[in-house]
Amino acid sequence: MMDSEFEQRLEPGEPETLHGISGSPGIVVGKVVVFSRQEDGLLRYRLEPGAAENEEARFMAAVARAEQVLISLRQQFEDDLADTVAIVDSHIRMVRDRLLLDQTLSLIRQKQINAEWALTRTLGIIKKKFDHIADDYIRSRFADVEYVARLIAEQLNGQGRSFPAGFAEPVIVAGEDFSPEDTIRMHTDKVLGFLTEKGGSTSHTAIVARSLGLPAVVGVRGVTSRCRTGDTVIVDGYEGRICLHPTLDQQRLYLEYDRQHRVFSDEMSWYIRLASETVDGLRVRLSANIEIPDVEAVIYYGASGIGLFRSEFGYLQGSRLPDEESLFTVYRDMAAALAPEPVTIRTLDIGGDKLSSRLPELRLSRERNPALGLRSIRFSLRERSLFETQVRALLRASLHGRLRILLPLISSLSELREARAVIESVMEQLAAEGVPFNPNTELGIMIEVPSAVVMADSLAAEADFFSIGTNDLIQYSLAIDRGNEYVASMYDPLHPAVLRMISQTIEAGHRQGIEVSLCGEMAGDVFTAPVLLGLGLDELSMRPSAIPHVKRLLRHSTFARLTVLAAKVLKCKDSSEAAALLNQYLSENYPDQFIDRDERT
């Protein structure tokens, strides 16, 4: 519901800037509509004796209607938005997720409570499981479960959806949170962009917004109470901030900034098909990080293959764990679509706490510190059958392109050897069964904990390639949880310790003659990319849309100049000194690529 009629104009307030997270790039200026969901209060009541069966049937009927809403939405947009409906597909599967359904039905029967109450309690149980997941990306997937549960709840109470339509003029939409389906419905000339109180840059809502080219800022706390329908707002999706009640001068400045970005983006399209090499002839592979098996963006942005495919997505959808055939199909199709470019698939990087609901035989106790617990390669080595199933699918798919296997969170040589032994055992099984595979499939490891950096020489002697995962390496090295609001500001990619560990890892890998890539967020940031390139990385892997920007920087550089820059930065004693050096280098060498950010505040 809107908090007032859109036509009602309020007296302008004082200009105010609020900070959030960049959900999707772009700048828009317009009137805001504050959208809130109608809350009639959660119905909670005990069932009459013998009424549980009818209540279960009412719940399943609501599930069926919710499923049909999603199917209809997919059919409506599948031709125009083919690259985003995969997320809707995941929600269609999630509607029938056994954990969501079985837990709710069980509560209806055992507690003799109504479906709405049971569904809310189920959501709380699931949230506790997600809260103890260390990986930011996996933890953020709870939003998808919440969207689906909300849709079912709406079908239970007959509210349906009233979002968002019928605007007389183009508007900016604000709300507590929007689902990916909400965002798809914004694909209209009446919605300029949106902002939310919740969410992050890796949420499916943000992914859809970027795919649609819809400017968005997410995670702006208190925004729905700070602005009212009819207020003028600037959404700066580049920097993740919004301006309430902006002056006319601020509006003109932001629109000019957006125009410059659009001109620059148009120029970027020229670089998509060009080689990723420096002026003096050094080639660096620029590849893509993806989380769903959709290679369309990888191809569109000119990536040299996939540097990181997060295989967890397939394990978090549907009512059961994926079997070998379904995994094989996904891996085969990606490898074949991008051949002969490499497709690097990270094995399951998830904690046992997330899968224990589907594997009750695990009998895992709650971990006090899951970030340092049973996750990633540790979990795979404990649950051998699960690991072997994934490895079988990977090896079978290896015949269809250049598929590479990447092991996450390796902290010792013994872990690498144990994982390799499992893979070699699977190879023997496949050979005995007469199942073809590539026996020379490359096996790499992620360098994302300090012990792996210290042992990089030994690890490089037994791995085929390294991939530096700076997102976790920074957190583990600096003892910083970037999802913790109290210390997130201390998450520092330019910390001297971080840069020196990256350099040490590259040197260790190259001494053993193996390639070293980097797949953290630093790779796609044109501010940090110059020093990474100067350190001698063989590959940078990033979100697909960042590739043309990094490629442009690379093609206007010489490796000699980048090497000098990296050497200077490595000598810096703190990150502010390193940032000053990079600012100076970028402003002198790429003045048209880096616009002064401070003048807009």
Side-chain angles (χ1 to χ4, degrees), residues 162-175:
S162 58
F163 173 88
F167 301 131
E169 59 185 274
V171 298
I172 294 166
V173 183

Side-chain angles (χ1 to χ4, degrees), residues 63-240:
V63 169
R65 290 194 298 272
E67 183 179 44
Q68 189 55 51
V69 167
L70 294 172
I71 292 172
S72 298
L73 182 69
R74 190 196 192 288
Q75 291 172 344
Q76 180 183 352
F77 290 101
E78 62 183 346
D79 291 334
D80 295 334
L81 306 178
D83 54 345
T84 63
V85 294
I87 292 175
V88 181
D89 287 338
S90 73
H91 288 175
I92 292 171
R93 293 190 294 271
M94 197 178 292
V95 167
R96 297 285 181 176
D97 185 90
R98 297 316 311 173
L99 175 60
L100 189 66
L101 268 58
D102 290 351
Q103 183 68 47
T104 303
L105 292 170
S106 175
L107 286 170
I108 292 172
R109 286 191 300 271
Q110 295 179 13
K111 303 296 183 181
Q112 292 291 297
I113 58 177
N114 67 304
E116 291 89 342
W117 190 359
L119 179 60
T120 300
R121 290 184 61 171
T122 294
L123 198 60
I125 293 169
I126 295 174
K127 186 177 189 306
K128 287 181 180 178
K129 294 178 181 293
F130 274 87
D131 284 344
H132 289 87
I133 294 173
D135 185 270
D136 289 341
Y137 168 75
I138 302 300
R139 191 166 60 239
S140 69
R141 294 284 75 81
F142 173 72
D144 296 288
V145 181
E146 194 173 27
Y147 296 147
V148 168
R150 189 169 64 206
L151 181 58
I152 295 172
E154 288 168 351
Q155 298 302 317
L156 276 170
N157 60 33
Q159 285 181 357
R161 304 195 66 82
S162 58
F163 173 88
F167 301 131
E169 59 185 274
V171 298
I172 294 166
V173 183
E176 182 181 2
D177 200 5
F178 297 123
S179 72
E181 288 76 20
D182 291 334
T183 310
I184 290 174
R185 292 185 178 94
M186 294 183 201
H187 189 54
T188 165
D189 58 5
K190 295 300 185 182
V191 178
L192 300 171
F194 69 88
L195 48 97
T196 67
E197 295 199 3
K198 296 181 178 180
S201 61
T202 62
S203 71
H204 281 155
T205 295
I207 292 169
V208 172
R210 290 193 290 270
S211 177
L212 300 180
L214 192 67
V217 178
V218 299
V220 188
R221 291 188 174 183
V223 68
T224 57
S225 61
R226 302 288 285 277
C227 63
R228 296 180 62 185
T229 293
D231 285 348
T232 299
V233 171
I234 297 174
V235 175
D236 180 357
Y238 296 113
E239 298 299 325

Side-chain angles (χ1 to χ4, degrees), residues 449-465:
V449 294
S451 64
V453 176
V454 175
M455 296 296 296
D457 276 322
S458 300
L459 292 167
E462 299 190 26
D464 296 319
F465 64 95

